[in-house]
Amino acid sequence: MTALDLSSPVAVVGTGTMGQGIAQVALVAGHPVRLYDAVPGRAREAAEAIGARLDRLVEKGRLAGDDRDAARARLEPADGLTELADCALVVEAVLERLDVKQELFRELEDVVAEDCLLATNTSSLSVTAVGGALRHPGRFVGLHFFNPAPLLPLVEVVSGFATDVTSATRAYETARAWGKTPVACADTPGFIVNRIARPFYAEAFAVYEAQAADPATIDAVLRESGGFRMGAFELTDLIGQDVNESVTHSVWQSFFQDLRFTPSLAQRRLVESGRLGRKSGRGWYDYADGAERPEPHTADEERPPAYVVAEGGLGPAAELLTLVREAGIQVREEDEDNGSRLVLPSGGHLVLADGQTSAEFRDVVHFDLALDYRTATRIALSASQDTSPQTLAEAIGLFQALGKDVSVIGDVPGMIVARTVARIIDLAHDAVAKGVATEEDIDTAMRLGVNYPLGPFEWDRGIGREFAFDVLDEMHERDPSGRYAPSLALYRHAYAIDKREGTV
């Protein structure tokens, strides 16, 4: 099944920001496009707005003037649904209410031809439920664009329970012909991106609620150590706290209140107070004119240790040994069978975040996971009240000698980056095991949809494929509510690795 022919008219119903964006994508690709909105006059206003954006593309040299003129000529506002009768594809981008969408598609089914492809751009509703109102749901599919649609490349092509393979394939190939990067997805709450991204927000909020660190520090660690483009607090302020919480709540409810998707009480209070982020002038941060952005906690300068003793290989943090040597600090290596760690001159231990707490040990400082220890500009450390001040000072001085800012946070298992990445990897494995999408499509979706530095499976391979399971298994032991219980898919994954290595 191939993409729609460029001569085939495409209709977009709903002319808000997303509807206009989808219409512009189809228009620039070469299709005749019809715009319809239930509010009189809105479709013509949307057509004018799209025309103005095409003018700006010409001004920026991104579109030829002749192509702009041809696109304008192909764009037609419609005064009624009957004017969409000859369309080969109708994409809906109306209010996120199931009854509204179902009624629209019932009306469309009486207007368009039997081979017309019908699609919803919903981000939170069940594609199966929306299409359930149709007499012929096999031609119904989800086409979830990301905002702004003309700029962001990802499109989730969602097959409902009754969607025909030929319909999904035609939608997929059409999105690709429009210059987008489509990924195939089963109809599951949150689809790919909004399902697997939940821990990025949830774990940051959990660390905050545990009073282990403030928003500015957590955001800085996620950016400067984890390699994420934005931290969870600044990103939800940009999205809108009400919008982000609504998606989280929808996914949580759709999974029958699965604890892994539990919404944040702190975020709920923020929404209740009207602090919705940038659009309201205040969210986690204050956006009023002249307001100062809070700085992340950064430790005062400490002297580096003269040497460290490396016991074991440090796993995902192995590159640290090279960096320590390059900083002129002596590394003495010893083979040990009881784990991997750095022993400091004080006798205290420096251990990669592993889901345990420093309070459980005599003198331990944990350090967080980094995307790349060489390029990371900040490292988080955690210690308990019983940790020796000298051990903590040596740990701080060690990372400062490597050119890193150091943030000391509270003694929370999994710290910040490690717990976040472990949970993202876990949800990704669970999604593949349940037939939601392939590993490749999940990696593509998370890189393109939310700008993650790596896809979950790329990250998994890079840090050692048993790391996520080990972190979550330890966290589950300390919080047996079920929130951190590794999925069966991740358990099988880790077990298979151990078996191949002959350790089972």
Side-chain angles (χ1 to χ4, degrees):
M1 183 63 66
T2 58
L4 294 177
D5 188 273
L6 290 181
S7 64
S8 302
V10 171
V12 177
V13 179
T15 59
T17 301
M18 183 58 78
Q20 290 183 32
I22 296 170
Q24 181 179 328
V25 170
L27 191 65
V28 171
H31 288 273
V33 173
R34 312 271 172 78
L35 286 173
Y36 174 76
D37 198 289
V39 179
R42 284 273 179 87
R44 297 187 184 279
E45 292 173 2
E48 292 174 1
I50 293 170
R53 283 199 289 274
L54 296 179
D55 290 340
R56 288 195 292 273
L57 291 177
V58 172
E59 292 170 2
K60 296 177 180 178
R62 298 177 182 173
L63 185 68
D66 290 345
D67 291 337
R68 182 257 330 262
D69 296 340
R72 279 179 173 273
R74 294 193 303 271
L75 181 61
E76 297 179 21
D79 294 323
L81 288 178
T82 55
E83 296 178 43
L84 313 183
D86 64 336
C87 289
L89 167 64
V90 181
V91 183
E92 162 274 315
V94 302
L95 187 67
E96 283 286 275
R97 276 180 46 186
L98 180 61
D99 59 338
V100 172
K101 293 180 187 290
Q102 287 180 330
E103 180 59 29
L104 169 64
F105 283 110
R106 286 192 193 99
E107 295 179 22
L108 282 169
E109 198 169 29
D110 291 333
V111 171
V112 300
E114 289 187 2
D115 61 349
C116 175
L117 190 62
L118 299 177
T120 175
N121 183 59
T122 185
S123 61
S124 60
L125 299 176
S126 163
V127 171
T128 301
V130 178
L134 298 175
R135 295 189 301 273
H136 305 291
R139 60 166 161 178
F140 189 75
V141 66
L143 277 178
H144 181 217
F145 289 77
F146 288 74
N147 195 27
L151 296 180
L152 295 185
L154 184 69
V155 178
E156 292 177 318
V157 181
V158 186
S159 293
F161 186 79
T163 302
D164 291 338
V165 173
T166 54
S167 298
T169 303
R170 171 156 283 185
Y172 184 98
E173 294 301 333
T174 297
R176 185 158 62 178
W178 290 358
K180 296 302 181 181
T181 303
V183 291
C185 176
D187 185 21
T188 184
F191 308 144
I192 298 175
V193 172
N194 280 331
R195 172 178 177 154
I196 295 175
R198 295 346 296 163
F200 178 74
Y201 313 109
E203 294 313 308
F205 298 160
V207 172
Y208 168 77
E209 290 172 339
Q211 301 186 55
D214 60 277
T217 299
I218 296 169
D219 278 353
V221 172
L222 285 169
R223 288 193 316 269
E224 300 172 38
S225 183
F228 294 96
R229 185 168 296 185
M230 299 181 74
F233 296 89
E234 57 190 343
L235 180 54
T236 52
D237 268 357
L238 178 64
I239 294 169
Q241 297 302 330
D242 53 339
V243 174
N244 181 261
E245 193 215 24
S246 176
V247 173
T248 298
H249 196 270
S250 174
V251 172
W252 175 63
Q253 289 283 24
S254 297
F255 277 113
F256 308 105
Q257 300 185 359
D258 187 327
L259 285 169
R260 295 176 301 166
F261 301 100
T262 302
S264 161
L265 181 59
Q267 188 180 38
R268 175 92 288 265
R269 293 292 179 258
L270 206 65
V271 172
E272 289 173 339
S273 70
R275 296 183 178 184
L276 306 182
R278 289 180 180 270
K279 63 184 177 183
S280 69
R282 189 165 186 180
W284 296 109
Y285 300 108
D286 188 349
Y287 298 95
D289 291 340
E292 292 187 10
R293 180 69 175 261
E295 294 293 325
H297 168 76
T298 302
D300 293 335
E301 187 174 350
E302 299 285 356
R303 295 186 58 175
Y307 68 91
V308 295
V309 179
E311 296 183 349
L314 295 188
E319 188 179 18
L320 277 178
L321 298 181
T322 300
L323 300 180
V324 170
R325 291 188 179 95
E326 290 175 358
I329 299 172
Q330 182 184 5
V331 176
R332 305 171 186 170
E333 294 192 55
E334 295 183 1
D335 292 330
E336 291 288 335
D337 294 330
N338 58 346
S340 61
R341 61 196 178 191
L342 292 178
V343 182
L344 299 165
S346 64
H349 298 160
L350 188 57
V351 180
L352 175 63
D354 55 7
Q356 302 182 83
T357 63
S358 295
E360 302 168 47
F361 304 96
R362 184 182 63 81
D363 197 10
V364 165
V365 173
H366 282 100
F367 65 95
D368 209 350
L369 183 68
L371 174 68
D372 183 335
Y373 283 98
R374 181 173 291 278
T375 60
T377 57
R378 182 178 298 271
I379 295 294
L381 303 179
S382 68
S384 73
Q385 293 180 340
D386 296 328
T387 301
S388 160
Q390 180 62 27
T391 294
L392 180 59
E394 289 176 349
I396 293 171
L398 175 66
F399 282 102
Q400 288 174 338
L402 307 185
K404 319 296 183 187
D405 288 327
V406 176
S407 293
V408 180
I409 69 170
D411 187 19
V412 287
M415 301 191 67
I416 298 172
V417 179
R419 71 196 288 166
T420 299
V421 170
R423 288 211 57 219
I424 289 170
I425 289 171
D426 182 49
L427 289 187
H429 277 283
D430 186 53
V432 170
K434 292 177 178 174
V436 173
T438 65
E439 291 187 9
E440 181 180 3
D441 276 357
I442 288 174
D443 277 352
T444 298
M446 302 313 291
R447 286 197 314 269
L448 299 183
V450 277
N451 290 309
Y452 283 4
L454 292 173
F457 295 98
E458 292 174 310
W459 225 323
D460 191 24
R461 289 188 291 271
I463 60 179
R465 297 174 63 186
E466 68 279 5
F467 179 80
F469 176 84
D470 290 343
V471 168
L472 293 180
D473 195 39
E474 294 287 358
M475 292 185 70
H476 176 57
E477 185 175 331
R478 286 148 186 82
D479 177 5
S481 65
R483 176 183 176 119
Y484 298 104
S487 67
L488 179 59
L490 190 64
Y491 174 82
R492 286 171 171 162
H493 175 69
Y495 175 84
I497 293 297
D498 284 343
K499 188 174 181 180
R500 285 197 298 272
E501 293 175 353
T503 58
V504 172

